[in-house]
């Protein structure tokens, strides 16, 4: 590829499984990438770019790092990485040896300040923070700007351009950009109160904006968008009503407009940067779980996390176009457009005279220092903070084990050995132990949340939390919002008499007489669905009765360009797939139309992109072979993987990686490695204080001591001690709502979805 892009305007996005960042053209459906993909990632949830250097920046959330790569595929590097997840991080000796908190354990959003050459990011980890660092030498300049008073900070955008310029709005454009607004500004102004008489919107300079979402709908104001100056001062709540899960953010610098998407209300909104004229831009059925959002010209683009789609919305006509469909999940997206990154401020030249960080503020700039530095009296240079390495002590709300580990205080005396040395379950300390008021005490001393009672899951381990006696003593259903099943299980009252067996015993559908509203369609089963879902190509009724009516004459949605002769067009989204993928046993179209009418015939797999399962002949993506997940029914995709991976519990010899040894062949007195690296003095180290490991200790040829953990635990970032796997924060289970109490993970679904038999996935109802 040439040094510069083929086209200086393209879309790029992140996806998982496999983790990758890809580019695509905005105008035509072609196979060529507009950037070299960034591969070997896990969860690239956040993206941005720096046009001056041609860098794409990405946050690989579950790898705890932020990296970058040029669009021509060169100069891939990690610029920030935490080596001690959830613990203070020891900086290099030049920092004075001071311990600093981790702020990369769950990065959800990043934003490039192209004038100050800084990177901003949100961290939804142990600490809830907004952070900044230099694009160059990022690890030496990282600074926490804001901490706390956030639930789940996610998307972030910055507006670093100085200038009091105003954007003129002609009368014919007022409706398009939302001057009719839904609500007043934050200061109580009437619609148009902050707009000059000539129809111009004052520009708000040098602010950063970020979304903060809440998991539960406590009231209608839990989610919010906040703003602050780019140095973290003057923090304010910007938008908060009728908002719950605000995700992606994007700025239209031309009209001074902020757009965002809400994954709870499934719509896209906008508001002027002066806080006026908030308006819902789009709320169509294509919005299933919007995640990433980006603006360009008269269009807004978004990714759908759940169904793996990328959509384009025409802001003038409200026409929606499906641009691409992939295997979910999809994460953030951006429009690479160098014209977005123009302007000027006091940090653009010579870093504003600052030695470390130059941060733009309205009317000027301030110099700032990294967290382990102090700003000198001259206001421009920084000095390292002197001090000793802080000793490791437990925080408030934690219990200190005898082995000096820290666990949450509420885990003490709950029946589980969380300390791994038994000190949290000591009989002396736990005599007459009681559970908190909001928890239920099991016979084995375990405490579980009371909301887990009578939910069909054996959480105590002896089923006492599901017994009829317990369910009679502890009614858990909310009488106003929930329906009590015959089994005692609670479901949403909205699911009562909806033709779906949500209770599992039919009690929520017993004795129901169904009737639909005028704006609904009645399925043959009696179920009611929105009227506009009929004849849209989707089997919403479950029995196809909404798609077999005489009046179903609506044209199918077509792809932006027709399929070629060697391609198959999916229904109803019109997506094109290679014809070789038809009847190969794998559903490549969202609705499975590529596998219909095959009469049991399985075509040979496309050997370039697919792998053939041994027994069934079903085709799967080659990237899924030897990835640790069983994708073939006969597990043949995970057989004979020695050539792919020699990893725990097997290890290669120090100087011959082709020899892969089982654990029992290490330190058994026989030389199984040609170089003898499986035997020797190292074999005695595990017997000395267990090699420093909290659980399992092993000797690995050429590497020395390697610690490992039992099932349900994972190595901490010190590579010595084990901690509980955080399935929810790391998005390892549950496709929608995830709740974890120690080792137990419970999945649930948003309203309008139901939990599948696997207990993790959700299906639209």
């Amino acid at each position: 590829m040439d040094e510069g892009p083929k086209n200086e305007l393209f879309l790029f996005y992140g996806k998982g499984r496999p983790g990758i960042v890809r580019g695509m053209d905005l105008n035509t459906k072609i196979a060529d990438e507009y950037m070299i993909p960034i591969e070997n990632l896990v969860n690239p949830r956040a993206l941005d770019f720096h046009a001056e250097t041609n860098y794409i920046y990405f946050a690989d959330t579950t790898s705890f790092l932020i990296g970058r790569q040029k669009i021509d595929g060169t100069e891939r590097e990690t610029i920030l990485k935490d080596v001690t997840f959830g613990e203070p991080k020891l900086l290099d000796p030049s920092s004075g040896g001071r311990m600093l908190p981790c702020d990369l354990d769950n990065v959800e959003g990043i934003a490039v300040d192209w004038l100050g050459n800084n990177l901003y990011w949100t961290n939804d980890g142990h600490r809830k923070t907004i952070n900044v660092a230099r694009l160059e030498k990022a690890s030496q300049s990282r600074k926490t700007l804001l901490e706390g008073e956030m639930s789940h900070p996610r998307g972030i955008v910055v507006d670093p351009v100085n200038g009091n310029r105003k954007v003129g709005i002609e009368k014919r454009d007022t409706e398009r950009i939302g001057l009719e607004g839904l609500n007043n500004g934050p200061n109580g102004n009437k619609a148009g109160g902050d707009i000059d008489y000539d129809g111009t919107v004052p520009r708000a300079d040098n602010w950063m904006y970020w979304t903060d979402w809440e998991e539960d709908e406590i009231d209608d104001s839990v989610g919010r968008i906040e703003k602050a100056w780019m140095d973290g001062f003057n923090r304010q709540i910007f938008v908060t009503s009728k908002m719950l899960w605000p995700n992606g953010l994007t700025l239209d610098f031309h009209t001074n407009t902020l757009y965002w998407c809400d994954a709870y209300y499934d719509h896209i909104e906008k508001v002027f940067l002066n806080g006026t004229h908030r308006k819902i831009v789009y709320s169509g059925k294509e919005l299933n779980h919007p995640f990433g959002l980006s603006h360009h010209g008269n269009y807004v683009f978004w990714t759908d996390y759940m169904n793996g789609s990328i959509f384009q919305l025409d802001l003038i006509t409200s026409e929606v176009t499906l641009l691409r469909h992939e295997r979910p999940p999809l994460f953030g997206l951006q429009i690479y457009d160098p014209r977005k990154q123009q302007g000027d401020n006091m940090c653009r030249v010579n870093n504003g005279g600052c030695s470390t960080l130059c941060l733009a503020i309205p009317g000027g700039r301030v110099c700032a220092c990294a967290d382990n530095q102090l700003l000198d009296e001259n206001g421009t240079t920084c000095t390292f903070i002197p001090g000793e390495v802080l000793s490791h002590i437990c925080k408030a709300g934690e219990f200190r084990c005898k082995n000096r580990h820290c666990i949450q205080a509420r885990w003490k005396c709950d029946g589980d050995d969380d300390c791994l040395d038994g000190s949290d379950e000591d009989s002396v300390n736990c005599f007459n132990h009681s559970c908190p008021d909001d928890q239920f005490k099991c016979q084995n001393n375990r405490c579980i949340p009371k909301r887990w009672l009578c939910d069909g899951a054996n959480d105590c381990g002896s089923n006492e939390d599901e017994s009829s006696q317990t369910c009679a003593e502890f009614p858990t259903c909310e009488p106003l919002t929930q329906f009590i099943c015959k089994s005692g299980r609670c479901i949403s009252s909205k699911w009562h008499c909806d033709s779906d067996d949500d209770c599992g015993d039919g009690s929520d559908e017993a004795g129901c007489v169904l009737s639909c509203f005028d704006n609904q369609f009645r399925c043959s089963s009696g179920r009611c669905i929105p009227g506009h879902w009929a004849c849209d190509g989707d089997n919403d009724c479950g029995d196809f009765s909404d798609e077999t009516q005489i009046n179903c004459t609506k044209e199918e949605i077509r792809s932006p360009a027709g399929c070629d002769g060697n391609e198959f067009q999916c229904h109803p989204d019109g997506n094109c797939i290679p014809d070789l993928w038809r009847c190969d046993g794998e559903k490549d179209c969202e609705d499975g139309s590529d596998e219909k009418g095959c009469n049991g015939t399985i075509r040979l797999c496309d050997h370039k992109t697919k792998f053939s399962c041994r027994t069934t002949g079903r085709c799967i993506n080659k990237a899924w072979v030897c990835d640790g997940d069983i994708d073939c029914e006969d597990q043949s995709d995970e057989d004979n993987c020695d050539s792919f991976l020699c990893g725990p519990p097997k290890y290669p010899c120090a100087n011959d990686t082709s020899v892969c040894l089982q654990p029992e062949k290490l330190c058994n007195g026989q030389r199984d490695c040609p170089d003898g690296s499986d035997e020797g003095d190292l074999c005695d180290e595990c017997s000395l204080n267990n090699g420093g490991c909290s659980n399992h200790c092993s000797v690995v040829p050429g590497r020395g001591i390697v610690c490992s953990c039992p099932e349900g635990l994972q190595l901490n970032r010190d590579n010595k001690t084990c901690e509980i796997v955080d399935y929810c924060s790391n998005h390892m289970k549950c496709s929608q709502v995830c709740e974890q109490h120690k080792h137990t993970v419970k999945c649930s679904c948003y309203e309008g979805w139901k939990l599948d038999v696997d207990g993790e996935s959700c299906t639209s109802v």
Side-chain angles (χ1 to χ4, degrees), residues 434-507:
S434 60
C435 296
D437 292 340
D438 62 345
Q439 295 188 343
F440 173 81
K441 183 177 180 180
C442 305
Q443 294 176 359
N444 58 9
N445 217 26
R446 178 177 297 169
C447 299
I448 64 171
K450 283 185 177 178
R451 63 181 178 274
W452 290 10
L453 297 175
C454 308
D455 64 353
N458 179 16
D459 300 300
C460 282
S462 58
N463 260 325
E464 63 188 284
D465 55 311
E466 301 302 314
S467 68
S468 56
Q469 179 180 353
T470 300
C471 294
E473 183 179 354
F474 295 94
T476 58
C477 298
E478 294 290 340
L480 297 179
T481 61
Q482 293 184 314
F483 173 83
I484 305 176
C485 303
K486 188 175 181 181
S487 63
R489 182 183 178 193
C490 305
I491 64 170
S492 170
S493 57
K494 296 179 181 179
W495 298 355
H496 183 210
C497 295
D498 66 350
S499 299
D500 290 327
D501 183 10
D502 301 294
C503 286
D505 57 12
S507 57

Side-chain angles (χ1 to χ4, degrees), residues 177-193:
I177 64 173
L179 295 184
E180 70 279 22
L182 294 183
N183 62 300
N184 297 334
N187 300 319
N189 300 317
K190 298 290 186 181

Side-chain angles (χ1 to χ4, degrees), residues 164-461:
N164 295 319
R165 64 184 174 89
K166 300 179 180 181
V167 178
I169 304 171
E170 297 185 25
K171 187 174 182 180
R172 65 175 180 270
D173 292 330
T174 56
E175 182 176 356
R176 179 175 68 82
I177 64 173
L179 295 184
E180 70 279 22
L182 294 183
N183 62 300
N184 297 334
N187 300 319
N189 300 317
K190 298 290 186 181
D194 283 346
I195 298 179
D196 294 348
Y197 67 90
D198 60 348
T200 60
V201 181
R203 179 174 175 79
D205 304 313
N206 308 134
W207 291 81
M208 58 180 176
Y209 304 81
W210 68 93
T211 56
D212 184 19
W213 58 270
E214 186 70 55
E215 293 184 15
D216 300 314
E217 187 182 16
I218 302 171
D219 52 49
D220 67 348
S221 301
V222 288
R224 59 188 178 182
I225 297 174
E226 292 192 73
K227 70 175 184 176
W229 290 351
M230 291 175 62
D231 64 348
F233 284 85
N234 201 18
R235 178 178 177 179
Q236 303 173 22
I237 295 177
F238 186 49
V239 184
T240 187
S241 63
K242 293 299 290 181
M243 182 182 293
L244 193 62
W245 297 339
N247 270 338
L249 275 177
T250 185
L251 275 171
D252 178 356
F253 296 104
H254 180 67
T255 61
N256 291 334
T257 305
L258 180 72
Y259 292 84
W260 71 92
C261 54
D262 191 306
Y264 179 82
Y265 291 105
D266 289 338
H267 63 215
I268 297 172
E269 290 193 71
K270 70 176 182 179
V271 68
F272 283 156
L273 295 185
N274 61 13
T276 63
H277 311 298
R278 178 179 173 184
K279 178 183 179 182
I280 294 176
V281 175
Y282 189 71
S283 59
K285 67 175 184 177
E286 294 89 353
L287 287 154
N288 181 10
H289 190 101
F291 191 90
L293 190 73
S294 190
H295 170 273
H296 174 70
N298 292 326
Y299 298 95
V300 165
F301 304 82
W302 80 89
T303 55
D304 194 285
Y305 177 90
M306 299 298 299
N307 63 30
S309 299
I310 300 176
F311 292 99
Q312 170 187 283
L313 169 67
D314 188 320
L315 294 171
I316 297 178
T317 66
S318 295
E319 180 182 357
V320 174
T321 304
L322 175 67
L323 297 181
R324 180 167 289 190
H325 179 75
E326 297 210 36
R327 181 178 182 178
L330 291 192
F331 302 123
L333 90 163
Q334 293 286 347
I335 304 298
Y336 188 98
D337 182 5
R339 291 170 297 181
K340 284 186 175 183
Q341 297 189 347
Q342 298 177 350
D344 193 10
N345 68 22
M346 291 184 65
C347 292
R348 187 175 67 87
V349 178
N350 195 30
N351 199 37
C354 303
S355 66
T356 304
L357 289 164
C358 182
L359 307 177
I361 61 173
R365 66 97 176 101
V366 295
C367 297
C369 304
D371 284 330
N372 61 321
Q373 298 174 337
L374 286 175
L375 188 66
D376 296 331
E377 291 185 3
N378 60 21
T380 58
T381 59
C382 300
T383 303
F384 285 113
I385 301 173
E388 301 292 330
V389 176
L390 302 180
S391 59
H392 179 64
I393 58 175
C394 296
K395 307 179 186 70
E398 292 184 331
F399 171 79
R400 183 179 176 87
C401 308
K402 286 184 179 179
N403 58 15
R404 301 179 66 189
H405 292 176
C406 298
I407 64 169
Q408 296 187 37
R410 68 176 186 271
W411 293 359
K412 179 185 173 185
C413 303
D414 66 351
D416 294 327
D417 180 13
D418 300 295
C419 284
L420 306 176
D421 63 2
S423 57
D424 58 314
E425 301 301 320
D426 180 81
S427 58
V428 176
N429 293 328
C430 297
F431 181 71
N432 281 339
H433 163 68
S434 60
C435 296
D437 292 340
D438 62 345
Q439 295 188 343
F440 173 81
K441 183 177 180 180
C442 305
Q443 294 176 359
N444 58 9
N445 217 26
R446 178 177 297 169
C447 299
I448 64 171
K450 283 185 177 178
R451 63 181 178 274
W452 290 10
L453 297 175
C454 308
D455 64 353
N458 179 16
D459 300 300
C460 282

Side-chain angles (χ1 to χ4, degrees), residues 19-272:
I20 191 172
V21 177
R22 289 195 178 118
M24 63 174 285
D25 181 62
L26 289 177
N27 302 311
T28 57
K29 185 180 178 66
I30 58 177
D32 291 340
E33 301 281 2
Y34 273 71
M35 55 172 274
I36 298 297
I38 306 174
E39 300 178 310
N40 300 317
L41 304 174
V42 182
N43 283 304
R45 295 172 69 85
L47 303 171
D48 207 349
F49 68 97
H50 189 225
E52 185 177 350
T53 57
N54 284 337
Y55 270 119
I56 301 292
Y57 285 82
F58 58 88
D60 196 352
T61 302
T62 50
S63 298
F64 317 119
L65 65 84
I66 296 176
R68 66 185 182 182
Q69 177 178 300
K70 291 199 171 184
I71 60 176
D72 63 1
T74 62
E75 300 187 40
R76 166 81 172 267
E77 62 178 321
T78 296
I79 64 169
L80 287 168
K81 183 175 177 64
D82 270 322
V83 295
T84 52
F85 169 57
E87 297 288 340
K89 178 179 179 180
L90 177 61
L91 298 183
D92 57 73
S94 65
S95 70
R98 187 171 179 82
M99 300 290 282
L100 293 175
C102 146
D103 51 12
L104 289 167
D105 48 337
N106 195 9
V107 177
E108 288 285 339
I110 64 174
V112 169
D113 166 14
W114 62 92
L115 295 177
N117 291 319
N118 299 317
L119 181 74
Y120 289 76
W121 71 93
T122 60
N123 184 52
D124 184 19
H126 181 68
R127 306 193 310 154
K128 313 295 182 181
T129 58
I130 308 295
N131 313 274
V132 67
R134 295 278 293 163
L135 294 179
E136 305 300 329
K137 298 183 178 180
S139 62
Q140 302 173 27
S141 59
R142 54 201 279 183
K143 178 179 180 63
T144 301
L145 295 176
L146 295 169
E147 178 178 1
E149 299 184 23
M150 290 177 271
S151 295
H152 295 286
R154 215 197 76 70
I156 184 170
V157 292
V158 295
D159 184 8
V161 178
N162 270 348
N164 295 319
R165 64 184 174 89
K166 300 179 180 181
V167 178
I169 304 171
E170 297 185 25
K171 187 174 182 180
R172 65 175 180 270
D173 292 330
T174 56
E175 182 176 356
R176 179 175 68 82
I177 64 173
L179 295 184
E180 70 279 22
L182 294 183
N183 62 300
N184 297 334
N187 300 319
N189 300 317
K190 298 290 186 181
D194 283 346
I195 298 179
D196 294 348
Y197 67 90
D198 60 348
T200 60
V201 181
R203 179 174 175 79
D205 304 313
N206 308 134
W207 291 81
M208 58 180 176
Y209 304 81
W210 68 93
T211 56
D212 184 19
W213 58 270
E214 186 70 55
E215 293 184 15
D216 300 314
E217 187 182 16
I218 302 171
D219 52 49
D220 67 348
S221 301
V222 288
R224 59 188 178 182
I225 297 174
E226 292 192 73
K227 70 175 184 176
W229 290 351
M230 291 175 62
D231 64 348
F233 284 85
N234 201 18
R235 178 178 177 179
Q236 303 173 22
I237 295 177
F238 186 49
V239 184
T240 187
S241 63
K242 293 299 290 181
M243 182 182 293
L244 193 62
W245 297 339
N247 270 338
L249 275 177
T250 185
L251 275 171
D252 178 356
F253 296 104
H254 180 67
T255 61
N256 291 334
T257 305
L258 180 72
Y259 292 84
W260 71 92
C261 54
D262 191 306
Y264 179 82
Y265 291 105
D266 289 338
H267 63 215
I268 297 172
E269 290 193 71
K270 70 176 182 179
V271 68
F272 283 156

